[in-house]
Amino acid sequence: MRAARLLFVAPRRVEVGPVDLPEPGPGELLVRTSFSGISTGTELLAYRGLLDPDLPLDERLGALGGTFRYPFAYGYSCVGTVERGGGALAPGTTVFAFHPHQDRFVVAEDDVVALSPGTDPRVATLFPSVETALQLSLDAGQVAHETVVVLGLGVVGLLTALLLQRGGATVLAADPQGERRALARSLGVPAVAPGELPARIPVGGVPLLLELSGNPAALAGALDLLAHEGTALVGSWYGRQDVALPLGGPFHRRRLTIRSSQVSTIPAALAGRWDHARRRAAAAALLDVLPLAGLATTEFAFADAARAYAALDQQAAGVLHVALRYQ
């Protein structure tokens, strides 16, 4: 069998080309893709050429072997329909899979997430962002009755803010783009321009801020917002971009903490209660609870993938999350 897949061939250059497709073996599924989502985090860094070429794509996901050395296939958000399978998932079942952009693919049945009947497949391409936001909210810890600052109102920032609110936090978010602030406010998340934050936070600062903007300069200007012994939780991945931080007297004297969050692993502190299966099940349930339709703003035909990446790279007006359409 043959399939069509997307390849990253050079910085800011992608192409669609053929790939051989194996016959599905025992415990495997043949899936025809309906939509695949483009990540504005890791994937956009890969598109821009801002990742170490020798970095493994993702050791945890079986479909992502190799490194970021060109050419490579990447992506991890495919939603499609089972065409062939001999296990519990019958043909016609809608599933999510962590797989690069490809119109048909073979995947282990244990590696897919069966979606509820009626779930919008384009909206379901937000599943990885929901799971990432869920992990960020877990890493944030106890937030009830606390004011928490969220920097960056892309998809992950918006979803994290909504989940922190569900956990009882008073969230104040910031983003330099007015249309993103307006979208956040329409979803019930107070949002201001970054420069307005100092005047809006409680006297003495906040115990927690989450840096989710992807901007290497954002964290440096935000540390002053933290209270004594406050924590900056960094979900942004900056790739090979340098990050300069003011770690002089105030940082030490106020005993501040800078901590990273990453969705690939379950932190040791949570491992007794959470594993990947539980987190994925919880994220799947949230697909039908969170207001995702307003975030899945844009779609392009798979054949027009180059235009889709350019729109995200250039932060085109109205474009927040892009899904590639296959049918």
Side-chain angles (χ1 to χ4, degrees):
M1 294 186 293
R2 300 277 274 176
R5 68 173 175 176
L6 186 78
L7 280 177
F8 293 71
V9 296
R12 289 183 166 85
R13 185 180 162 200
V14 295
E15 295 178 355
V16 175
V19 62
D20 290 329
L21 199 62
E23 291 288 334
E28 293 184 327
L29 305 171
L30 174 64
V31 177
R32 179 174 293 277
T33 311
S34 301
F35 289 92
S36 63
I38 300 176
S39 154
T40 55
T42 307
E43 191 167 353
L44 206 52
L45 288 174
Y47 174 73
R48 292 168 174 164
L50 294 177
L51 295 174
D52 182 348
D54 293 321
L55 183 72
L57 296 180
D58 195 321
E59 303 98 323
R60 185 176 61 90
L61 301 177
L64 291 177
T67 69
F68 287 100
R69 187 171 296 279
Y70 298 110
F72 59 87
Y74 194 64
Y76 47 83
S77 182
C78 285
V79 178
T81 304
V82 175
E83 285 195 333
R84 289 163 54 186
L89 297 179
T93 303
T94 301
V95 296
F96 170 88
F98 292 96
H99 196 282
H101 305 286
Q102 194 165 304
D103 64 353
R104 297 169 81 204
F105 57 91
V106 173
V107 63
E109 184 171 342
D110 291 343
D111 288 342
V112 305
V113 177
L115 301 177
S116 302
T119 298
D120 185 329
R122 189 179 80 165
V123 169
T125 62
L126 286 163
F127 179 90
S129 296
V130 172
E131 188 177 18
T132 297
L134 175 58
Q135 184 59 60
L136 284 159
S137 70
L138 292 171
D139 285 342
Q142 177 59 254
V143 294
H145 311 295
E146 300 284 5
T147 298
V148 178
V149 169
V150 174
L151 302 179
L153 288 170
V155 171
V156 171
L158 279 167
L159 291 173
T160 302
L162 290 168
L163 291 178
L164 291 171
Q165 284 184 329
R166 288 167 62 90
T170 298
V171 175
L172 179 60
D175 195 283
Q177 294 188 38
E179 65 179 21
R180 292 189 176 187
R181 298 196 298 269
L183 175 58
R185 289 192 289 265
S186 75
L187 298 175
V189 176
V192 299
E196 298 177 49
L197 280 173
R200 298 290 297 272
I201 64 172
V203 175
V206 297
L208 176 69
L209 69 84
L210 291 90
E211 204 301 277
L212 307 176
S213 70
N215 177 4
L219 185 59
L223 291 177
D224 286 343
L225 303 175
L226 289 170
H228 185 76
E229 297 192 2
T231 297
L233 184 61
V234 180
S236 293
W237 188 15
Y238 308 111
R240 293 192 289 178
Q241 302 172 97
D242 291 331
V243 179
L245 296 175
L247 302 181
F251 173 80
H252 285 281
R253 290 182 177 181
R254 289 191 288 131
R255 294 178 174 270
L256 302 183
T257 297
I258 300 173
R259 185 159 54 94
S260 68
S261 175
Q262 219 285 329
V263 74
S264 292
T265 57
I266 303 291
L270 297 175
R273 297 182 295 112
W274 286 86
D275 58 17
H276 287 106
R278 181 187 175 189
R279 193 180 64 191
R280 287 183 182 178
L286 287 169
L287 291 177
D288 298 321
V289 175
L290 294 172
L292 300 180
L295 279 60
T297 56
T298 313
E299 66 179 67
F300 286 84
F302 181 46
D304 292 331
R307 290 178 52 220
Y309 282 91
L312 285 170
D313 183 39
Q314 297 161 15
Q315 297 185 338
V319 177
L320 186 65
H321 173 73
V322 170
L324 300 177
R325 183 185 67 252
Y326 292 77
Q327 300 174 17

